[in-house]
Amino acid sequence: MKREFPLKVTIALIPVAIACMVFGIYRGEVATVLSKAINICMECIGLG
Amino acid sequence: MANHPNALRKCVQAGWGILTNAYIKGFLPGLPPIYQGNLKQVCVPGMNCYSCPGALGSCPIGAMQAVFDGRHRQFAFYVVGYAALIGLVVGRFVCGWLCLFGLIQELLYKIPTPKLTIPAPADKPLRYLKYLILLVMVFLLPFIVRSQYGVGEPFFCKYVCPVGTLEGGIPLVLLNEALRATLGWLFRWKFFLLIMCVVASVFIYRPFCKYLCPLGAFYGLFQKVSLVRMRVDEHVCVDCGKCARACKMNVDPHKTPNSNECIRCRECVNACPMHALSMGIGALKPSAGEEAGEDAPAPSAEAQ
């Protein structure tokens, strides 16, 4: 039988990921993402 | 009949691609060329350039770099946490079911030509390339390299990403004369990479996903711990190898059911004549034999 990580590991890591998200939101990263995303990213399309 | 599960996946891929690129006004002349609403605060789970005229959400890889390459050199907690959460819940299921560029590569692979399998000595090291791209072009270079004005660049988006060229660059250049006038070496380079990717996709199954995609690399890191997992019931498996032959990502599901390369397309599940493979939350239900340990009687009668 293949060795698998127990679900407990996953369930313990999910709050860590959520905490990262919340910290990023608290720090204002959403505004950074939005301001980048609502303007044409010249680099992304090969013009920058 | 055997193709029904795969048809369902294609429908989900196409439906998701349309749903997340449904800003029709972006394709009309005389209006703002891309969506500028609040939905773009949120990333879609797959690769989807936010400069696509139809895009309603942000690209996780683009958004990570947008925070890394900012003036303040911040770590992208919001986007990395978001992508990690998706990875922890479904792993690379996103690649198999919710990525428009993945679907495009799969459709190109359907063009009837002789197909190529990269020999293992070359294939294995090439698979690590996407991790190198994730580390260097997505995380390190946008963070470290600064212009004279103190800002960085989205290195992966700028120099590699064929998704941006296909979904953003080409439609915008076709729709906007002013942008056409600014085309230079960078567009030609990215267009060349896109053509290489398109041509390779005709002969090799999902070459971008296998070798280059930093988002697939990121989700791949969570495959072994994600809630949604593959499982092999060893008491039922007869080791016929049909699952490995069905896997176009060149994974052997019998040996490594939760390989970093598995995109959870379920083709191995459908190919297994013994129904020994399953995909679902956690380890799913273990067979009677596995629950009871090695001393348990083989569930031969029930399993068949």
Side-chain angles (χ1 to χ4, degrees):
Chain A
M1 176 164 170
K2 309 289 177 293
R3 204 170 153 270
E4 290 175 346
F5 282 91
L7 269 184
K8 286 177 201 162
V9 175
T10 315
I11 290 164
L13 287 173
I14 284 175
V16 177
I18 293 172
C20 271
M21 276 181 73
V22 171
F23 179 65
I25 293 167
Y26 169 75
R27 220 168 53 158
E29 290 174 19
V30 175
T32 309
V33 170
L34 181 66
S35 69
K36 181 79 177 180
I38 60 172
N39 296 298
I40 295 176
C41 169
M42 290 300 189
E43 297 100 330
C44 305
I45 65 171
L47 300 178
Chain B
M1 290 294 283
N3 273 338
H4 271 192
N6 205 23
L8 169 70
R9 189 169 69 88
K10 290 279 185 293
C11 289
V12 173
Q13 286 173 298
W16 182 257
I18 292 167
L19 189 71
T20 52
N21 291 283
Y23 184 67
I24 306 296
K25 287 181 186 172
F27 295 98
L28 302 175
L31 291 166
I34 61 171
Y35 171 68
Q36 297 180 319
N38 283 334
L39 281 177
K40 278 200 169 165
Q41 293 177 111
V42 182
C43 296
V44 294
M47 291 287 281
N48 199 113
C49 185
Y50 41 34
S51 288
C52 169
L56 290 173
S58 291
C59 170
I61 291 296
M64 276 182 205
Q65 292 170 93
V67 180
F68 289 145
D69 69 18
R71 198 172 294 276
H72 303 295
R73 277 204 172 104
Q74 291 183 326
F75 184 79
F77 283 101
Y78 166 55
V79 190
V80 171
Y82 167 85
L85 182 63
I86 291 186
L88 283 167
V89 176
V90 292
R92 285 193 76 179
F93 175 90
V94 171
C95 306
W97 292 75
L98 302 175
C99 182
L100 182 60
F101 198 62
L103 172 65
I104 291 167
Q105 291 173 86
E106 286 182 19
L107 295 177
L108 287 166
Y109 190 73
K110 283 193 176 290
I111 295 172
T113 58
K115 302 302 176 190
L116 293 178
T117 303
I118 307 292
D123 181 67
K124 278 202 168 180
L126 278 174
R127 300 267 180 158
Y128 288 104
L129 187 57
K130 58 181 174 290
Y131 297 99
L132 194 65
I133 288 173
L134 173 68
L135 180 68
V136 176
M137 301 199 85
V138 177
F139 280 76
L140 293 181
L141 290 180
F143 203 79
I144 295 167
V145 179
R146 301 276 128 176
S147 72
Q148 57 181 321
Y149 305 108
V151 291
E153 285 185 326
F155 275 82
F156 175 75
C157 295
K158 184 170 180 179
Y159 296 108
V160 179
C161 187
V163 185
T165 314
L166 180 68
E167 296 178 1
I170 292 174
L172 285 172
V173 162
L174 289 175
L175 290 165
N176 193 318
E177 202 174 321
L179 288 178
R180 270 202 297 281
T182 63
L183 297 184
W185 70 269
L186 185 61
F187 188 84
R188 284 194 289 276
W189 163 248
K190 289 196 69 183
F191 191 73
F192 168 74
L193 286 181
L194 173 64
I195 295 297
M196 294 293 287
C197 202
V198 165
V199 172
S201 300
V202 176
F203 302 101
I204 303 167
Y205 186 74
R206 282 179 169 241
F208 179 73
C209 311
K210 281 180 181 170
Y211 306 121
L212 299 176
C213 181
L215 190 57
F218 188 86
Y219 290 147
L221 298 173
F222 297 94
Q223 286 277 94
K224 290 175 180 63
V225 293
S226 65
L227 280 181
V228 174
R229 294 181 198 183
M230 300 292 299
R231 182 182 173 83
V232 185
D233 189 335
E234 299 283 2
H235 293 260
V236 177
C237 176
V238 291
D239 203 7
C240 64
K242 283 189 178 174
C243 53
R245 287 196 292 278
C247 181
K248 297 193 188 85
M249 292 298 284
N250 310 111
V251 173
D252 185 345
H254 172 65
K255 289 181 184 157
T256 52
N258 292 299
S259 158
N260 291 20
E261 301 299 324
C262 169
I263 57 169
R264 289 167 177 174
C265 63
R266 288 179 54 91
E267 292 205 14
C268 56
V269 176
N270 300 327
C272 179
M274 303 302 290
H275 308 293
L277 283 158
S278 53
M279 185 180 85
I281 302 292
L284 286 183
K285 52 181 192 309
S287 71
E290 283 174 317
E291 271 187 333
E294 286 183 1
D295 296 336
S300 55
E302 277 185 358
Q304 286 162 27

